[in-house]
Amino acid sequence: MNSIEKKCKKYERSGIATVAKRVGLYPYFKQISSEQGPIVRMEDREIIMLGSNNYLGMTGNPIVKEKAQEAMKQYGVGTTGSRLLNGTFQLHVELEKRLAAFLGKEDCVAFSTGMQANLGAISSLLSPVNDEYVLSDELNHASIIDALTLSKIGHEKKIIYKHNDLDDLQEKIEQIPKGKALIITEGVFSMEGDIPPLDKIVSIAKKHKAMIYLDDAHGVGVLGPEGRGAAAHFDVTKDIDILMGTFSKSFASSGGYIASSKTICNWVRHHARSFIFSASMPPANCATVLAVLDLIEQDNSYRKNVLQLSDRMRKGLIEAGFEIGNSTTPVIPIFIGDDILAFRVYRKLFRNKPRGIFTNPIRPPAVPHGKELLRTSYMATMTEEIIDEALEILTTVGKKMKII
């Protein structure tokens, strides 16, 4: 038997997934049989959805759905090619122009997924020939970690600094020649729900002539005026060299982008392998994002609702005694500290009657060992009654499982 097959067989027999399945704790690949709103149907039951990135609740918006349907009727269901060749539709160009204007940048490049955006942009921009370095927050997303692996710069030039630790960032950037560094951070950290001190990171970057790459996948739509993101929240948009985001969160679609100067976007269009060698976003996806942009530019209530509801839940969780870290956004972690216990709490919440709760149990490598958690997240279309019901269930289960 080949070693690859042996490895897979061993995991099938005794891996964590198999062990969890045997004892009825496996929490992944749950099927949803309804629209992904505040209440969903799973296993033929009503479940409160606290595990979605649908922050603005746009997946079920009738205007958004109508625009997606119109795009399918006009352009069909797919593109069948890369943007470089036969896959650039009028909608792609319109979307890039609208996003660039919305985010306050000269240009924008739309990718087929958010992960492809990070993989392609970061790996193509970094060069071993020019003696370039990266300073990356230790809790950055897996797509950033993988992008650094794909880049051809040496291991010693991939420097990890402690999470949101300005002193550590300052100390490490001082060891790098000026004008050679790219600082990478997230706008909202996807597991912890906290935000970096971008204004202070900008100050450090300026002193050392470093560029800043901001992954704002969970910030755009939620933070800043009109939901323009973490950079706008700190009023440093002009100082962030590259803004990255996804369409699979607030924009209720699928895809990703980077927004930057025309010069950088031109480079990425012609060098990012994940852009050049992937089929482009389907027309309906583009139309969905454009429709959401129309709505949030005209109506700030979606953003206000999700922030207010998240604050209500955050206050309740803290008062109940849950450990939620430094979250200030619609992503609120409930720290458990053990993967099996996290699975058990997840199961208890999901099986609660009459309505259960869906959360995301997170374990390494998505979080460090000892930081296992239940990731909860909230959407603008929830009500205070749903939040209060969910909080009551969480508190009851938390006490039974002795995590509060």
Side-chain angles (χ1 to χ4, degrees):
M1 185 184 295
N2 184 279
S3 62
I4 296 173
E5 189 175 8
K6 284 181 182 178
K7 172 180 62 182
C8 296
K9 286 280 189 183
K10 182 179 179 182
Y11 184 76
E12 186 179 39
R13 289 194 307 269
S14 57
I16 182 67
T18 301
V19 172
K21 287 176 183 177
R22 283 175 185 159
V23 296
L25 292 176
Y26 188 70
Y28 303 121
F29 300 101
K30 291 285 188 183
Q31 296 180 37
I32 300 171
S33 56
S34 67
E35 214 168 65
Q36 196 170 120
I39 307 296
V40 298
R41 290 204 68 81
M42 301 174 78
E43 297 185 2
D44 206 29
R45 297 175 55 228
E46 282 194 344
I47 302 290
I48 300 173
M49 174 51 74
L50 298 189
S52 172
N53 295 320
N54 186 21
Y55 301 126
L56 302 183
M58 292 291 181
T59 58
N61 185 287
I63 296 173
V64 174
K65 291 198 291 187
E66 182 181 352
K67 293 294 185 181
Q69 290 168 351
E70 288 175 0
M72 279 196 293
K73 288 178 182 177
Q74 181 175 352
Y75 296 102
V77 297
T79 64
T80 74
S82 71
R83 290 287 304 281
L84 187 71
L85 300 177
N86 65 298
T88 293
F89 283 43
Q90 180 183 0
L91 282 174
H92 294 110
V93 178
E94 180 184 353
L95 174 58
E96 289 173 339
K97 287 180 179 178
R98 284 285 306 280
L99 267 177
F102 178 73
L103 296 168
K105 292 298 179 186
E106 289 182 346
D107 200 358
C108 177
V109 183
F111 288 75
S112 300
T113 70
M115 183 150 190
Q116 286 179 319
N118 271 340
L119 292 178
I122 294 171
S123 64
S124 70
L125 287 168
L126 294 170
S127 168
V129 176
N130 296 326
D131 194 32
E132 292 162 351
Y133 293 75
V134 164
L135 292 135
S136 181
D137 189 290
E138 66 178 334
L139 296 186
N140 276 341
H141 191 263
S143 58
I144 295 172
I145 296 169
D146 289 352
L148 295 180
T149 300
L150 284 175
S151 75
K152 296 180 180 179
I153 64 172
H155 178 74
E156 72 283 357
K157 294 179 180 177
K158 302 169 186 175
I159 300 167
I160 308 302
Y161 66 91
K162 295 175 184 176
H163 179 53
N164 285 344
D165 189 325
L166 295 175
D167 291 336
D168 194 44
L169 175 60
Q170 178 69 55
E171 180 182 337
K172 286 174 175 172
I173 201 171
E174 286 175 355
Q175 311 305 314
I176 298 172
K178 284 189 175 181
K180 294 288 186 179
L182 176 66
I183 299 171
I184 305 180
T185 185
E186 296 188 30
V188 173
F189 283 87
S190 58
M191 295 298 132
E192 295 75 18
D194 57 349
I195 60 178
L198 279 179
D199 51 344
K200 295 179 174 62
I201 291 175
V202 164
S203 296
I204 292 172
K206 284 183 175 180
K207 290 177 184 176
H208 296 272
K209 297 181 180 178
M211 294 179 68
I212 300 175
Y213 183 107
L214 179 66
D215 178 336
D216 210 16
H218 295 266
V220 170
V222 174
L223 296 182
E226 293 83 43
R228 297 176 196 270
H233 174 75
F234 284 96
D235 194 23
V236 294
T237 297
K238 68 181 186 301
D239 301 306
I240 303 298
D241 300 278
I242 303 157
L243 292 170
M244 175 271 170
T246 67
F247 302 135
S248 56
K249 279 77 177 177
S250 291
F251 289 115
S253 185
S254 181
Y257 63 87
I258 64 146
S260 188
S261 66
K262 289 185 179 295
T263 301
I264 288 175
C265 287
N266 181 61
W267 174 275
V268 169
R269 280 192 181 96
H270 295 91
H271 291 84
R273 293 168 68 85
S274 62
F275 178 79
I276 296 170
F277 296 105
S278 289
S280 58
M281 289 171 60
N285 292 39
C286 297
T288 295
V289 180
L290 287 165
V292 173
L293 271 174
D294 287 339
L295 289 169
I296 64 177
E297 285 181 323
Q298 298 164 11
D299 185 353
N300 203 33
S301 66
Y302 301 100
R303 189 177 70 87
K304 285 183 177 179
N305 285 349
V306 71
L307 292 175
Q308 288 172 358
L309 292 167
S310 301
D311 284 344
R312 186 181 185 92
M313 176 59 86
R314 189 167 17 253
K315 180 182 177 183
L317 290 171
I318 291 171
E319 289 177 351
F322 288 99
E323 182 187 347
I324 65 168
N326 298 315
S327 166
T328 58
T329 67
V331 177
I332 307 178
I334 297 175
F335 287 97
I336 307 294
D338 177 84
D339 51 8
I340 297 301
L341 180 56
F343 289 171
R344 291 178 59 219
V345 176
Y346 161 87
R347 180 177 65 176
K348 196 79 172 174
L349 291 168
F350 188 80
R351 291 183 175 179
N352 185 77
K353 293 181 179 178
R355 288 209 285 213
I357 294 178
F358 181 86
T359 59
N360 290 297
I362 308 296
R363 62 180 302 275
V367 293
H369 287 281
K371 294 290 185 179
E372 292 82 358
L373 57 88
L374 292 180
R375 181 187 187 273
T376 72
S377 50
Y378 303 87
M379 59 185 82
T381 45
M382 287 177 166
T383 62
E384 290 185 353
E385 289 73 21
I386 290 174
I387 293 293
D388 292 344
E389 179 185 349
L391 179 60
E392 183 179 353
I393 296 168
L394 284 162
T395 302
T396 300
V397 171
K399 289 176 179 178
K400 285 181 180 179
M401 303 300 290
K402 298 182 179 179
I403 60 172
I404 56 172

